[in-house]
PDB file of all heavy atoms in Angstrom:
ATOM      1  N   SER P 255     -34.504 -12.626 -35.104  1.00 82.00           N
ATOM      2  CA  SER P 255     -35.437 -12.339 -36.193  1.00 82.00           C
ATOM      3  C   SER P 255     -35.200 -10.935 -36.733  1.00 82.00           C
ATOM      4  O   SER P 255     -34.747 -10.045 -36.014  1.00 82.00           O
ATOM      5  CB  SER P 255     -36.886 -12.484 -35.703  1.00 82.00           C
ATOM      6  OG  SER P 255     -37.157 -11.527 -34.682  1.00 82.00           O
ATOM      7  N   ASP P 256     -35.498 -10.747 -37.999  1.00 80.00           N
ATOM      8  CA  ASP P 256     -35.375  -9.446 -38.642  1.00 80.00           C
ATOM      9  C   ASP P 256     -36.778  -8.929 -38.963  1.00 80.00           C
ATOM     10  O   ASP P 256     -37.636  -9.712 -39.398  1.00 80.00           O
ATOM     11  CB  ASP P 256     -34.552  -9.578 -39.928  1.00 80.00           C
ATOM     12  CG  ASP P 256     -34.239  -8.234 -40.550  1.00 80.00           C
ATOM     13  OD1 ASP P 256     -35.130  -7.660 -41.224  1.00 80.00           O
ATOM     14  OD2 ASP P 256     -33.121  -7.734 -40.359  1.00 80.00           O
ATOM     15  N   PRO P 257     -37.035  -7.648 -38.759  1.00 75.00           N
ATOM     16  CA  PRO P 257     -38.379  -7.117 -39.057  1.00 75.00           C
ATOM     17  C   PRO P 257     -38.823  -7.363 -40.492  1.00 75.00           C
ATOM     18  O   PRO P 257     -40.015  -7.444 -40.776  1.00 75.00           O
ATOM     19  CB  PRO P 257     -38.220  -5.617 -38.784  1.00 75.00           C
ATOM     20  CG  PRO P 257     -37.100  -5.510 -37.805  1.00 75.00           C
ATOM     21  CD  PRO P 257     -36.166  -6.629 -38.157  1.00 75.00           C
ATOM     22  N   SER P 258     -37.864  -7.531 -41.408  1.00 76.00           N
ATOM     23  CA  SER P 258     -38.203  -7.756 -42.814  1.00 76.00           C
ATOM     24  C   SER P 258     -38.649  -9.187 -43.079  1.00 76.00           C
ATOM     25  O   SER P 258     -39.125  -9.494 -44.172  1.00 76.00           O
ATOM     26  CB  SER P 258     -36.997  -7.438 -43.700  1.00 76.00           C
ATOM     27  OG  SER P 258     -35.952  -8.379 -43.475  1.00 76.00           O
ATOM     28  N   GLY P 259     -38.468 -10.066 -42.097  1.00 80.00           N
ATOM     29  CA  GLY P 259     -38.855 -11.462 -42.270  1.00 80.00           C
ATOM     30  C   GLY P 259     -37.694 -12.415 -42.369  1.00 80.00           C
ATOM     31  O   GLY P 259     -37.878 -13.627 -42.318  1.00 80.00           O
ATOM     32  N   GLY P 260     -36.484 -11.905 -42.512  1.00 84.00           N
ATOM     33  CA  GLY P 260     -35.309 -12.752 -42.555  1.00 84.00           C
ATOM     34  C   GLY P 260     -34.695 -12.918 -41.184  1.00 84.00           C
ATOM     35  O   GLY P 260     -35.391 -13.000 -40.166  1.00 84.00           O
ATOM     36  N   SER P 261     -33.366 -12.965 -41.149  1.00 87.00           N
ATOM     37  CA  SER P 261     -32.654 -13.156 -39.879  1.00 87.00           C
ATOM     38  C   SER P 261     -31.533 -12.131 -39.755  1.00 87.00           C
ATOM     39  O   SER P 261     -30.890 -11.768 -40.747  1.00 87.00           O
ATOM     40  CB  SER P 261     -32.048 -14.557 -39.798  1.00 87.00           C
ATOM     41  OG  SER P 261     -33.037 -15.555 -39.937  1.00 87.00           O
ATOM     42  N   ARG P 262     -31.298 -11.677 -38.546  1.00 88.00           N
ATOM     43  CA  ARG P 262     -30.146 -10.838 -38.229  1.00 88.00           C
ATOM     44  C   ARG P 262     -29.098 -11.727 -37.569  1.00 88.00           C
ATOM     45  O   ARG P 262     -29.399 -12.498 -36.657  1.00 88.00           O
ATOM     46  CB  ARG P 262     -30.541  -9.711 -37.275  1.00 88.00           C
ATOM     47  CG  ARG P 262     -31.387  -8.634 -37.910  1.00 88.00           C
ATOM     48  CD  ARG P 262     -30.527  -7.532 -38.488  1.00 88.00           C
ATOM     49  NE  ARG P 262     -31.337  -6.442 -39.006  1.00 88.00           N
ATOM     50  CZ  ARG P 262     -30.895  -5.214 -39.229  1.00 88.00           C
ATOM     51  NH1 ARG P 262     -29.633  -4.918 -38.947  1.00 88.00           N
ATOM     52  NH2 ARG P 262     -31.683  -4.279 -39.715  1.00 88.00           N
ATOM     53  N   VAL P 263     -27.858 -11.598 -38.015  1.00 91.00           N
ATOM     54  CA  VAL P 263     -26.795 -12.484 -37.558  1.00 91.00           C
ATOM     55  C   VAL P 263     -25.638 -11.672 -36.974  1.00 91.00           C
ATOM     56  O   VAL P 263     -25.241 -10.646 -37.538  1.00 91.00           O
ATOM     57  CB  VAL P 263     -26.267 -13.354 -38.720  1.00 91.00           C
ATOM     58  CG1 VAL P 263     -25.159 -14.281 -38.231  1.00 91.00           C
ATOM     59  CG2 VAL P 263     -27.404 -14.158 -39.350  1.00 91.00           C
ATOM     60  N   THR P 264     -25.122 -12.157 -35.854  1.00 90.00           N
ATOM     61  CA  THR P 264     -23.875 -11.636 -35.288  1.00 90.00           C
ATOM     62  C   THR P 264     -22.891 -12.791 -35.181  1.00 90.00           C
ATOM     63  O   THR P 264     -23.221 -13.840 -34.633  1.00 90.00           O
ATOM     64  CB  THR P 264     -24.096 -11.039 -33.885  1.00 90.00           C
ATOM     65  OG1 THR P 264     -25.001  -9.935 -33.970  1.00 90.00           O
ATOM     66  CG2 THR P 264     -22.779 -10.540 -33.289  1.00 90.00           C
ATOM     67  N   LEU P 265     -21.712 -12.610 -35.738  1.00 93.00           N
ATOM     68  CA  LEU P 265     -20.640 -13.594 -35.629  1.00 93.00           C
ATOM     69  C   LEU P 265     -19.488 -12.949 -34.873  1.00 93.00           C
ATOM     70  O   LEU P 265     -18.986 -11.904 -35.284  1.00 93.00           O
ATOM     71  CB  LEU P 265     -20.154 -14.038 -37.011  1.00 93.00           C
ATOM     72  CG  LEU P 265     -21.195 -14.626 -37.968  1.00 93.00           C
ATOM     73  CD1 LEU P 265     -20.545 -14.959 -39.308  1.00 93.00           C
ATOM     74  CD2 LEU P 265     -21.855 -15.862 -37.370  1.00 93.00           C
ATOM     75  N   MET P 266     -19.060 -13.576 -33.792  1.00 90.00           N
ATOM     76  CA  MET P 266     -17.926 -13.076 -33.029  1.00 90.00           C
ATOM     77  C   MET P 266     -16.838 -14.137 -32.987  1.00 90.00           C
ATOM     78  O   MET P 266     -17.121 -15.316 -32.738  1.00 90.00           O
ATOM     79  CB  MET P 266     -18.340 -12.702 -31.598  1.00 90.00           C
ATOM     80  CG  MET P 266     -19.289 -11.530 -31.511  1.00 90.00           C
ATOM     81  SD  MET P 266     -19.740 -11.134 -29.789  1.00 90.00           S
ATOM     82  CE  MET P 266     -18.167 -10.518 -29.184  1.00 90.00           C
ATOM     83  N   SER P 267     -15.614 -13.716 -33.242  1.00 92.00           N
ATOM     84  CA  SER P 267     -14.468 -14.605 -33.159  1.00 92.00           C
ATOM     85  C   SER P 267     -13.583 -14.119 -32.019  1.00 92.00           C
ATOM     86  O   SER P 267     -12.971 -13.046 -32.115  1.00 92.00           O
ATOM     87  CB  SER P 267     -13.692 -14.598 -34.478  1.00 92.00           C
ATOM     88  OG  SER P 267     -12.547 -15.425 -34.387  1.00 92.00           O
TER      89      SER P 267
END
Side-chain angles (χ1 to χ4, degrees):
S255 63
D256 187 281
S258 67
S261 302
R262 288 270 185 161
V263 180
T264 298
L265 303 178
M266 294 180 69
S267 178

